Amino acid sequence: MDHKDIIRKLTDELWNKGNLEICDDVFASNCSFHDPSFPIDGIAGMKQQVSELRAAQPDLHMDVQEVLMDGDLTCARWTCGGTARNEFRGIPPTGKSYVMTGLIMDKWEGDRIVEEWVNYDLLGALTQLGVIPSMEEAAQAAGKQKSGMAG
């Protein structure tokens, strides 16, 4: 199984099925994770994040569209979606659904991931969930505040 296949299997098993044990098979014990929104402390932190997110969004699903390889690096483009049924790290359960896109880059040593970087459209997801206003709503609110101050 090449790295592209491992990424696809990891995504399906971990994010879609909640099989946390696959982390022990794919990530090196000293793997470092770089998430701009939610800190992840090692493999235990990754398992905790997946477990909490799947509890908050029982219908969570992630699809990998493409995986590119270059030497010891892979980069995957993915789409993820779910419905906010329970709280997740301060994000309230709105009952609304979202679809979010992202990229994940992994550095490999042999058949193990030793470092992972992820970037995704959290702003878009939070807007769809109704947690923060859309750009249009924010602009309207800002306009109302300006006109209220002018009087």
Side-chain angles (χ1 to χ4, degrees):
M1 188 177 290
D2 71 8
H3 293 164
K4 288 181 177 184
D5 294 331
I6 294 171
I7 290 294
R8 290 183 187 284
K9 180 178 179 179
L10 173 67
T11 301
D12 188 48
E13 289 291 323
L14 183 61
W15 295 101
N16 296 336
K17 297 177 182 173
N19 176 8
L20 302 177
E21 290 74 33
I22 196 165
C23 290
D24 299 317
D25 298 333
V26 176
F27 297 111
S29 60
N30 63 338
C31 188
S32 58
F33 298 91
H34 308 281
D35 185 318
S37 303
F38 303 104
I40 300 172
D41 187 16
I43 293 175
M46 174 59 81
K47 290 178 179 181
Q48 179 180 358
Q49 181 179 18
V50 171
S51 179
E52 290 175 4
L53 187 57
R54 288 183 49 77
Q57 302 169 10
D59 61 345
L60 180 74
H61 187 81
M62 183 181 288
D63 289 313
V64 173
Q65 278 76 43
E66 296 175 283
V67 182
L68 304 175
M69 287 177 40
D70 186 17
D72 63 351
L73 297 173
T74 55
C75 183
R77 182 175 63 87
W78 51 263
T79 302
C80 173
T83 305
R85 300 278 181 220
N86 298 296
E87 185 270 340
F88 173 72
R89 298 188 179 187
I91 300 171
T94 63
K96 295 181 179 179
S97 297
Y98 72 96
V99 175
M100 172 174 72
T101 57
L103 296 170
I104 193 161
M105 181 175 282
D106 292 303
K107 181 175 176 59
W108 296 77
E109 285 183 8
D111 62 350
R112 299 283 180 137
I113 296 170
V114 295
E115 195 162 11
E116 182 169 274
W117 300 265
V118 63
N119 202 332
Y120 46 88
D121 182 18
L122 184 59
L123 176 63
L126 294 176
T127 301
Q128 293 171 62
L129 291 173
V131 174
I132 59 173
S134 69
M135 295 295 285
E136 182 179 303
E137 292 166 336
Q140 288 173 353
K144 287 178 186 175
Q145 287 177 350
K146 267 186 162 177
S147 64
M149 294 169 55

